[in-house]
Every structure is written in C-alpha cells, then in structure tokens.
Amino acid sequence: MGRYKVVDRSPRFLPISLEAQLMVGSFEHALDVLIDEELELSAFNRWYCNDETGAPAYDPAVMLKIVLLAYSKGVVSSRAIERLCRENVVFMAISGDSAPQFTTIAKFVRAVAADVADVFARVLLVCDRLGLIGRQMFAIDGVKLPSNADKRHSGTHAELLHDAERMEAAVKRMLETHREEDETIKPRTSTAHRIERLQGEARRIRQFLATHAERRSAKGALRKSNVTDNDSAKMATQKGVIQGYTAVAAVDEHAQIIVAAHALGSGSEQGVLLPIVDQTRALRSDATIITADAGYHSEENLRGLCERAVPAMIADGLMRKRDPRFAGQARHKARPDPFYNKALKPSNVRFLPKDFSFDRIAGTCICPAGKKLYSTGSACSTNGRKHHKFQGAKRDCVPCELRARCLRHPERTPTRQVAFFEKNAASPLPYTQIMKEAIDSERGKALYGAPHRHGGARLCKPALQQAPRPLHATHAA
C-alpha cells in the first residue's frame, strides 16, 4: 500500500498577496472594478463630517463591496459577514483587510437603503453599455422571502387587542399568585421576570394599535398587521406559512440581468406587475415583450398593459391545461398543497369534480357513492365563466360512508356541492379573451412556452427570430 503526504489544514502564517486573490474574470474582480471605476458614490459622503475631528471611517466603497459580495454568496447576516472579513481571504482582499465589526456593517446596510436605487440604476447603465441587455424579452417572476419578524405577532387590530387583554389578565392573575406566595413561602424569582415580559408585550401591542391604522388590500379587504414589521405579511409557501415579503424581479433574457426589482408585503403578486413594468420603461424598446406566469394574470393588469402599449404574454390559470405539451405535468405534482393538511394520506384526499359522473346533455350528476345530485343552477357564472352547479341531498350525504373523502369539513358541512365549467368557452372579459387567443396561437406557444418550460426567463431565440412582430395584448395573434 502506498504512502502519501499528510494533508495539513492547521492555521499558519502564509505570504499572500491580497490583490492576487481578485482573479480577472471572477465576480469579486468585476465587483471591485465596477465600484472603483464605474460608480459615482459621492452621495455617500454626506453621512460623514469627520474632515477635521473624529476617527477615520470605513470607505463606503469598501463597505458596499463587502455587502454585495456577501449577498452574492447568500450571506445576509452582519455577524456572518464580519466573520468572513476576518477568515476568508477573498473578503480580506476586497476589503483591504479592513475587518469592520458587525454593528458597523448593520448600520451601513440600514443607511444605504436611500441610495441603493441610484446605485442599481448606474449598474444597469454599465450593463447596457456593455451590451448585456438584449431588450427582446423581460421575464417577470417572484419569490417569497421571510422577514425578521415573528408571525405570532400578526393579526387584525381586534385580534391584537384581544392578545393584549389576554396578557394583561395573565399578569393580573400572576400578581395575585405572587402576593399569596409572599405571605406563605419564598417567592419564585422567575415570576417577576414573566410579569415584566408580559407587561412589556401588552404595552408594545397597545402602543402599536394607537399609532398604526388597520391594513387593507387594494380592494379594501382587511389585512393582518404585524407588531414587529408592519410592512410584511403572512403568506403560504411550500415550506409552510411565513411572515415576510414577496420579492419580484424583471429579468432580461439575453444575459439574465435584473432590470427591475420590487418587494411588497403581500402574498399576491398581481398588484406589482404594472409598477415593475413601469420601472423598465427606460430600458424597453417598442419590440420588448413582457412575460409573466398566471400569478400576475388579471383583467386589470391586461388593461393596464394595453393602455401602456406594452407587448406582453401573461398566462392564465388554464393555459397549461389547454396546451397539449403539458399533458404529463400532473406527475410532477406529487407534493401536498401547503394550504392544506400535509398529514393527509393519498387515500383520504377529497374527491374532485372529475370523480363525479356528469352528463352534460341530460344535465345529471352522479357522485362517487352512486347517489344522484340535484341541480342548483344550469347557467351560473363565476368571474365570467359559466358553469352547472349540483348539490347532494341530506338524506344521501349525512349517512354516507365517504363523507371524509368528499367534504373538506365533514363535521360541520352537511352536503357536497360541485360545479362543472364549460370547456374552451370564450371569456366575457375582453382583454383576457384576447390574451387567451394570443397565447394559444402557434406563435404564442413558441414565444411563451419554450422559455417557461425550460427554466423560466430563458428565451428560445430561434422562436423569437421566426416571429418578426411583437405580440400585443390589444390584438389576437
């Protein structure tokens, strides 16, 4: 058996040139050159007034390099960034071995928010000058990110007031118990700390309610507030419910450059489509096509795109069902829906409308248990879509052995209702119908289907070259 040299990774002093660690062609080298030679950072100088007195401050350019390099590696903690500046040779090189403390890094991140938009715009100008923005297609999509806020501190104002009253009642009971212990036995030291904590929480909630109005959606619906971060919102993800933000970006297909970004405290992405399209106005050409998935589809958004004369391809919720290329996509949906109980077994999943026998001509419906449902409307309409509604009879549904598989809440819902929508029916919403016809056309499938089937924003360039004119929301293909 051969003998090999020992691999030794113990700490040691090494003669290292920090400048040599910023290798040409790497991200850190590009970041270093971009900030030093291309960006104008004079606006950051207004934070400092230590020309004659005071200790020297860290160079804003160096701080910006450190933070952006850390973000590119997925590090967003100030303490973790400080540790990288002390232990990672690349961070030592780009910071000139500055090693700022985490408090300095956190303070810089808070202060830079006002000027980051200008920095972002200047970076886009540099990318445009280098030919990295193709202006053929901007793909819009979003992701839900957790915030530094506790979702347990969320609720409507009535719910938060109830929590404060509950804490105050608990404090009152604890004080009475504390007084009784003082008279009998030696009091527990933890009781005083619990009382102080609950009093502080209740006081903080009441102060929040006195200084913040109720949150409402664009349509006027009541939304939950959060005592810690009132701009964030509760939202469901595949990993459960989080308290956070929806981050949305518009990406140019040529080199995957982010040309616009926006964050909002809502789980719905519809309301951010038009604002982020407006952000791309300076970079769009007359032939630039905007693409987005069904999460951004609404009649109001399509009307807004038409009024702005912006060519767009916005999918609707049934686009994939109409496209034969997505016929086998059901096999990829084995994971449970995060909105429902993940502990449900496949055998206990609710019956869907496809499990009911519907005779469109006779107007009859038979449930999986073999019982006939009675019609409650043959020309109903929901969001402009016509459908036929049926409902089971109590004499059949209440004693049925399949109630657990048929009803979402069998303990309180007596009967099952089911609706059958007309297939391939024209939408009564004019802009939705125009977009539907456009995206279902052969040209629409070539423009939208190829990039979104193979990695989101990446565009199939041959398909774009075969289509000389842009597809617009105001006319059918």
Side-chain angles (χ1 to χ4, degrees), residues 174-471:
M174 293 173 67
L175 286 174
E176 293 175 355
T177 304
H178 198 176
R179 282 194 292 269
E180 293 175 359
E181 290 182 353
D182 287 342
E183 297 173 357
T184 56
I185 60 177
K186 184 178 179 179
R188 292 172 294 178
T189 57
S190 61
T191 304
H193 294 296
R194 291 182 60 192
I195 291 175
E196 184 179 355
R197 179 176 59 83
L198 289 175
Q199 286 177 331
E201 284 290 326
R203 187 163 52 249
R204 187 159 70 107
I205 291 175
R206 287 192 175 276
Q207 183 178 1
F208 174 85
L209 295 177
T211 55
H212 292 79
E214 292 239 61
R215 294 185 66 191
R216 295 189 177 273
S217 66
K219 296 182 180 180
L222 193 64
R223 293 172 56 184
K224 292 182 181 294
S225 303
N226 185 273
V227 178
T228 307
D229 184 359
N230 197 36
D231 292 328
S232 62
K234 270 188 176 180
M235 52 190 71
T237 68
Q238 292 183 346
K239 297 182 179 180
V241 178
I242 65 170
Q243 183 77 31
Y245 293 87
T246 298
V248 181
V251 181
D252 179 76
E253 60 84 24
H254 176 61
Q256 302 292 284
I257 300 295
I258 297 176
V259 295
H262 189 76
L264 70 158
S266 172
S268 175
E269 300 171 340
Q270 286 186 359
V272 78
L273 177 67
L274 295 179
I276 204 164
V277 168
D278 291 339
Q279 287 184 37
T280 65
R281 184 185 298 111
L283 294 172
R284 290 196 319 265
S285 67
D286 293 338
T288 303
I289 299 176
I290 299 293
T291 64
D293 59 25
Y296 301 88
H297 186 281
S298 70
E299 182 73 2
E300 292 75 14
N301 282 343
L302 298 184
R303 182 186 295 109
L305 291 170
C306 175
E307 294 171 351
R308 291 165 172 78
V310 176
M313 299 290 289
I314 313 296
D316 59 273
L318 299 177
M319 184 274 294
R320 290 175 179 256
K321 292 185 177 181
R322 298 192 303 268
D323 193 334
R325 296 176 297 177
F326 298 97
Q329 69 172 348
R331 68 180 184 273
H332 302 294
K333 295 187 176 181
R335 290 180 298 180
D337 191 327
F339 288 94
Y340 300 102
N341 187 1
K342 298 181 180 180
L344 291 176
K345 297 181 179 179
S347 59
N348 294 332
V349 174
R350 274 194 322 126
F351 291 124
L352 300 176
K354 65 180 181 181
D355 299 316
F356 292 73
S357 300
F358 173 53
D359 190 330
R360 194 175 298 274
I361 298 177
T364 59
C365 178
I366 306 297
C367 75
K371 302 296 183 179
K372 184 177 180 180
L373 281 67
Y374 61 88
S375 173
T376 57
S378 59
C380 302
S381 179
T382 301
N383 294 330
R385 297 180 60 204
K386 294 184 178 180
H387 58 276
H388 196 151
K389 285 179 62 176
F390 292 89
Q391 185 171 358
K394 286 187 178 181
R395 64 177 181 274
D396 297 327
C397 291
V398 172
C400 183
E401 296 180 353
L402 300 178
R403 282 178 59 82
R405 293 191 60 190
C406 195
L407 299 171
R408 184 177 300 171
H409 303 288
E411 68 283 354
R412 65 172 185 260
T413 305
T415 61
R416 171 66 186 266
Q417 296 183 4
V418 64
F420 297 92
F421 288 84
E422 293 185 9
K423 295 184 178 180
N424 301 322
S427 173
L429 307 175
Y431 297 96
T432 296
Q433 180 61 25
I434 291 173
M435 183 61 72
K436 176 182 173 181
E437 294 174 0
I439 208 167
D440 288 346
S441 67
E442 292 302 320
R443 181 171 179 271
K445 292 177 181 178
L447 286 173
Y448 184 89
H452 285 263
R453 287 175 63 199
H454 303 290
R458 291 197 176 276
L459 178 67
C460 180
K461 291 188 178 180
L464 184 64
Q465 293 168 356
Q466 294 170 5
R469 63 182 180 84
L471 201 63

